[in-house]
Amino acid sequence: MTPTPEPTGGPRTATAPPDRARRVLRAVAITACVPYLVLKTAWLGGSRIGMPEDSLLLDDPAVTAVANLVTLVLDACVIVLALLLTRPWGRRVPAWLLVVPMWTATGLLAPIMTAYPLQLLVRALGGGGSGVSAGGGGGGEGGGEGAEPFLHEWVFGMVYGGFLVQGLSLGALFALYARDRWGHLWRDRVRDLPPAGALPRAVTGAAALVALVPATLHTLWASGFAMGADGTRLAGRSTGELAVMEATSAVFPLVAVAGAGLLVLGRGGARWVGVPVRARVRVPVPVRVALAAAWLGSGATATWGGWITLASLGGGGIASGTSGPMYLAYACQMIAGALVAAVGARFLAGSARAHAGATPAPVRPTDAPASAAASTPGPASAPAPVPLPGTPDGPDAGDAADVRMSP
């Protein structure tokens, strides 16, 4: 039997050092972390640089210290990820050990990268006050017009500006890494996918229903309705910046569900709870676009919902300014994001199994039973098949683990 070579565009061994572009992106990502790490280290050491005398961060020093330590560790993880995405040993890291931290980092950075520039634009047009705050659902460290101050203005520019650079550089590195290692798993178009099974359809339907709660509440708050926001920390924010922040929080759950929906529809439509959905994806949407939407949407929705919930439960000013509807929105964000992430993970696992099954291993004479070999007609000196490079028996057998990476 002639062995089938790995399809073009499949995972690469790529043990060569990173090219110039990746080295530059790595240096930029690491450098962008330095100001934030220095600031957090100073605060942990007792410094109050950048904090007004009446800052809410000083109300509970113990909670503030824990939050500073956690955020310092999270930002330090960006440096580890930048190294992992560019060094040869990073190709041998188990997929989950990279994907989970990268999904978390993407989720935390994406809302900031979306909302902060828009908030700056709103302020430039005269629609905002001081203390810009980016993030999902008001979880940033900012105040607003009329709100109690958290930090001096220059801190926001330094911190959020650094987050923008980190997000862009780290995102570019991950896109290059994912293309090299898993790009063969999403080369198709959505309309060519086979129909999904019952479980992914049910999970996607549940995610859509749950996502309606935060999407609706954040849309109401962005539109100026105070339902559930009276007397909370949202009430003191400037109208323009609050609208941007809440609109961003409303969009990401919808983006997540849209990405998951594209993955489960396939070419044959779908059926939820016995009701057929006849809509088909006729536009040639690449699978990578649907996966990117599910990745970004689920990460931003789940991580910010979880982060703000933890911050609110920790006590201090954030807890006192969080209402029941706000807790409901954050909890539903976590659930919806986790459900969409599960759909995406299942899709990638199934795609990996399909590609692995499409590349059968060569049959060696020693693999056949002795009786079968004796009964097979043909010359006794028939030459054994010569394995191709890159197969488990070829000259590159030492790199077999890199050639056929599991997702």
Side-chain angles (χ1 to χ4, degrees):
M1 177 183 291
T2 302
T4 304
E6 192 73 43
T8 304
R12 310 173 188 174
T13 54
T15 56
D19 54 30
R20 180 178 179 83
R22 301 189 198 212
R23 290 197 299 268
V24 171
L25 288 170
R26 180 179 64 198
V28 169
I30 293 175
T31 303
C33 296
V34 173
Y36 189 80
L37 295 177
V38 170
L39 183 64
K40 291 291 183 176
T41 302
W43 287 347
L44 287 172
S47 173
R48 294 294 176 260
I49 181 173
M51 295 184 185
E53 292 296 328
D54 53 350
S55 173
L56 291 177
L57 298 176
L58 302 177
D59 290 349
D60 195 332
V63 173
T64 300
V66 172
N68 286 332
L69 180 61
V70 171
T71 50
L72 183 146
V73 172
L74 289 175
D75 206 53
C77 289
V78 173
I79 298 177
V80 177
L81 287 172
L83 294 173
L84 189 152
L85 294 171
T86 54
R87 301 301 302 164
W89 52 266
R91 300 303 174 94
R92 297 185 292 272
V93 171
W96 68 268
L97 196 57
L98 165 65
V99 169
V100 173
M102 193 65 214
W103 177 78
T104 304
T106 303
L108 291 174
L109 291 173
I112 295 175
M113 297 173 64
T114 304
Y116 184 58
L118 293 176
Q119 288 179 327
L120 291 179
L121 178 61
V122 167
R123 293 185 63 195
L125 297 176
S130 61
V132 177
S133 173
E141 295 174 310
E145 192 171 13
E148 294 184 71
F150 276 81
L151 299 168
H152 290 305
E153 191 66 24
W154 64 266
V155 178
F156 296 105
M158 184 186 74
V159 170
Y160 289 123
F163 286 161
L164 286 173
V165 177
Q166 292 175 36
L168 291 172
S169 54
L170 195 65
L173 286 175
F174 181 68
L176 295 172
Y177 180 101
R179 181 199 63 186
D180 292 344
R181 183 170 176 178
W182 301 302
H184 62 295
L185 300 180
W186 52 71
R187 289 180 301 175
D188 300 326
R189 296 186 183 276
V190 169
R191 66 184 181 186
D192 298 326
L193 294 175
L199 182 59
R201 296 198 304 268
V203 173
T204 302
L209 292 176
V210 175
L212 286 176
V213 176
T216 301
L217 288 174
H218 287 304
T219 300
L220 289 174
W221 296 332
S223 303
F225 291 93
M227 186 181 68
D230 286 329
T232 69
R233 65 180 184 277
L234 299 181
R237 297 191 184 277
S238 61
T239 304
E241 293 169 8
L242 175 64
V244 170
M245 183 177 65
E246 294 301 321
T248 302
S249 301
V251 166
F252 276 109
L254 302 179
V255 170
V257 172
L262 288 172
L263 294 178
V264 302
L265 277 175
R267 60 168 174 255
R271 180 182 295 271
W272 278 283
V273 198
V275 179
V277 178
R278 299 297 182 186
R280 296 184 180 182
V281 182
R282 300 186 181 277
V283 180
V285 180
V287 171
R288 63 178 178 271
V289 173
L291 280 172
W295 173 277
L296 285 171
S298 66
T301 302
T303 56
W304 271 102
W307 174 252
I308 302 174
T309 299
L310 289 176
S312 301
L313 295 176
I318 294 181
S320 61
T322 303
S323 64
M326 293 170 69
Y327 278 119
L328 176 63
Y330 304 147
C332 289
Q333 285 179 217
M334 288 188 289
I335 296 172
L339 291 177
V340 171
V343 172
R346 182 184 176 90
F347 173 85
L348 289 175
S351 182
R353 287 193 298 269
H355 280 80
T359 311
V363 178
R364 295 172 293 182
T366 55
D367 293 335
S371 58
S375 62
T376 302
S381 59
V386 179
L388 296 179
T391 62
D393 303 304
D396 299 328
D399 295 329
D402 291 331
V403 175
R404 301 182 186 279
M405 283 286 187
S406 60

